[in-house]
Amino acid sequence: MKKTFIAGAVAVLSLAGSSAFAQSYVGINIGQSHANRACDAAAASGLLGSCDKSDFAWKINGGYQLPGTPWAGELTYFNLGKFKGSGPTASATAKDSYWGLGGAYRQDFGSGWGGVARAGAAYGTSKVDYSLAGVSGEQTKNGWHPYYGLGVTYQVAKNIKIEGDWDNTRITSQVPTYASSTAVVNSYTIGASFGF
């Protein structure tokens, strides 16, 4: 009985140390996002005098890479930051984020270098704090959009990689009495992923 238990324990420890248990990973990145919002038209109309379309962004993701292949499934949370516009009679701040579910192709190039390509579906949330002609409030808009991205990785230790990413998605916002608008958001981040 003891021999069977010891043999089983050795087998479990061997599996835990093998690549079968090194297919899961988590990553965290920080950087900057830039939203292609329609501020130019609002500025031309005199509604907005300034527009800040860039902000600090961060993301955290988790994935599972199919053993023996470069293919992985990923779940991502991305905080895209705040985008602000202000003028004589109006101001708005959009706080954007999304949850992403998709796939990744993670290829090793050799000498520690690798690359990753991502694509999937993003469920975005845009919370807009607004003030229009003395009327203030908050409006939340949710919606589905595709996301995709590219990255470069470098392995610095066993199961630890430095990763620089570019990510692209769309976020839809709305302010009462105005039609909804969809912005393209590009993010540039750097971080690390940890396999286990």
Side-chain angles (χ1 to χ4, degrees):
M1 189 69 175
K2 288 182 180 179
K3 289 182 179 179
T4 303
F5 177 78
I6 292 172
V10 170
V12 169
L13 290 174
S14 298
L15 282 174
S18 72
S19 61
F21 273 71
Q23 307 303 321
S24 300
Y25 58 91
V26 294
I28 185 166
N29 285 45
I30 60 172
Q32 188 176 63
S33 59
H34 180 80
N36 182 24
R37 293 197 175 274
C39 292
D40 295 337
S45 68
L47 186 63
L48 294 179
S50 65
C51 193
D52 184 358
K53 297 186 282 188
S54 298
D55 197 23
F56 174 79
W58 60 272
K59 70 173 177 177
I60 184 168
N61 63 2
Y64 180 80
Q65 188 166 336
L66 297 175
T69 78
W71 298 101
E74 287 189 344
L75 176 66
T76 302
Y77 175 76
F78 214 131
N79 187 310
L80 298 168
K82 299 178 183 179
F83 307 100
K84 306 172 185 178
S86 61
T89 60
S91 65
T93 300
K95 305 170 189 175
D96 296 342
S97 63
Y98 73 84
W99 285 94
L101 181 63
Y105 182 82
R106 305 182 68 91
Q107 182 64 53
D108 290 328
F109 300 146
S111 300
W113 291 97
V116 56
R118 295 183 170 91
Y123 184 71
T125 298
S126 184
K127 296 181 180 179
V128 180
D129 293 316
Y130 63 89
S131 177
L132 300 172
V135 178
S136 300
E138 182 182 270
Q139 180 80 8
T140 299
K141 181 76 173 178
N142 299 310
W144 287 97
H145 291 288
Y147 76 85
Y148 52 89
L150 296 172
V152 176
T153 66
Y154 184 74
Q155 187 168 348
V156 295
K158 184 180 179 181
N159 295 331
I160 301 176
K161 294 181 179 181
I162 300 298
E163 186 167 320
D165 291 336
W166 160 72
D167 293 284
N168 176 286
T169 193
R170 289 166 172 75
I171 294 289
T172 300
S173 303
Q174 189 167 20
V175 176
T177 74
Y178 287 86
S180 63
S181 63
T182 299
V184 176
V185 184
N186 288 289
S187 301
Y188 306 90
T189 61
I190 189 168
S193 61
F194 307 88
F196 55 92

